[in-house]
Amino acid sequence: MTLELPIPRGVLTPNRPLDSLTWLRVGGPADWLFQPADTEDLAGFLRDLAPDMPVFPIGVGSNLIVRDGGIRGVVIRLGRGFNSITVEDDRVIAGAGALDAHVARRAADAGLDLTFLRTIPGSVGGAVRMNAGCYGSYIADHLLEARGVSRDGRPVVLTPDDLRFAYRHSELPEGWIITEAVLGAGKGDPDALHAKMAAQLAKRDETQPTKERSAGSTFRNPAGFSSTGKADDTHELKAWSLIDRAGLRGHSWGGAQMSEKHPNFLLNAAGATAADLEALGELVRRRVLEDSGQELQWEVIRVGEPAAERDEA
């Protein structure tokens, strides 16, 4: 692997620990952490970066387990140069670094309904990458286009057809980085939209461990859709219900624990390592498969190397 890196205008930091950049507060160092100044800086860096150098973009680390050995290559974190939010008629143009909650609030101020984003942790780039959604709405329902940079530094514009959205999935090419999303939204009364979001937040805080160190929902629902929040919502094939049925609500491994409040939330309850969190998650998958025949799929993204592999390198 080529070790010589381009010199950007943004911040390039070697051997940067990543635990402080994830909500679960675990993970070893990245060989390099790059925080580009703007889209042009990002494009130039990727254009001049050796093709064999791995890159991995992160947002605010809300849906991420970085393993204890860290990440080989360049981790790219989009910050202040990528968090703008503008409203044009019935469209919201949001930088990939903008928080989902901020986008929902700004849209509501303008009388546009993107309220489903209010309770989704994370930033817009990750929301596009994972087709984030709740209450029956998904990014795929609102995305008009996504703008980004290819691995070789070319500007790209992607349509929903290009991304081939599915439940918690898109087909973004390897190494491509979303920098901005254009979202369409229906109109609504600003006061009513804000009241709707306040009700959603109250319900979330009542049912989820929002004060704990978690990465949101740990596993995808085998049902193939998010909770709708409606009275007729079925819980039969929801991940939390299957985990609960397998007797794993509150189950722990080292410093990791499945939440007592919502058993599909994996917590760093007491100084967990990434290995603790992943081991507990795999235990849950095995037990649920034995109990119900359902094979849970990780929703939390797990990246990097175990600590032993890092030590041996």
Side-chain angles (χ1 to χ4, degrees), residues 13-21 27-30 33:
T13 308
N15 203 36
R16 172 60 156 86
L18 297 174
D19 54 347
S20 64
L21 301 182
L33 176 70

Side-chain angles (χ1 to χ4, degrees), residues 23-26 65 68 212-214 250-260 265-281:
W23 283 24
L24 282 165
R25 293 295 188 265
V26 297
I65 293 175
D68 300 305
E212 307 288 342
R213 287 183 177 173
S214 83
H251 196 79
S252 62
W253 181 302
Q257 181 182 22
M258 303 310 296
S259 170
E260 290 274 5
F265 277 61
L266 178 60
L267 308 179
N268 183 346
T273 63
D276 290 339
L277 294 163
E278 194 165 12
L280 178 55

Side-chain angles (χ1 to χ4, degrees), residues 130-163:
M130 293 294 292
N131 189 21
C134 62
Y135 303 121
S137 294
Y138 299 85
I139 281 288
D141 302 322
H142 296 272
L143 185 75
L144 302 177
E145 65 180 37
R147 301 162 185 167
V149 179
S150 68
R151 174 58 183 84
D152 58 0
R154 292 177 294 108
V156 293
V157 177
L158 299 163
T159 67
D161 286 343
D162 294 328
L163 290 166

Side-chain angles (χ1 to χ4, degrees), residues 34-78:
F34 175 42
Q35 297 165 278
D38 50 34
T39 301
E40 291 73 23
D41 190 34
L42 172 63
F45 182 85
L46 289 175
R47 182 193 63 234
D48 297 336
L49 186 67
D52 61 344
M53 178 67 75
V55 299
F56 182 78
I58 66 171
V60 292
S62 61
N63 188 43
L64 189 65
I65 293 175
V66 176
R67 295 185 176 106
D68 300 305
I71 298 178
R72 308 288 67 75
V74 180
V75 170
I76 297 176
R77 190 170 194 255
L78 304 185

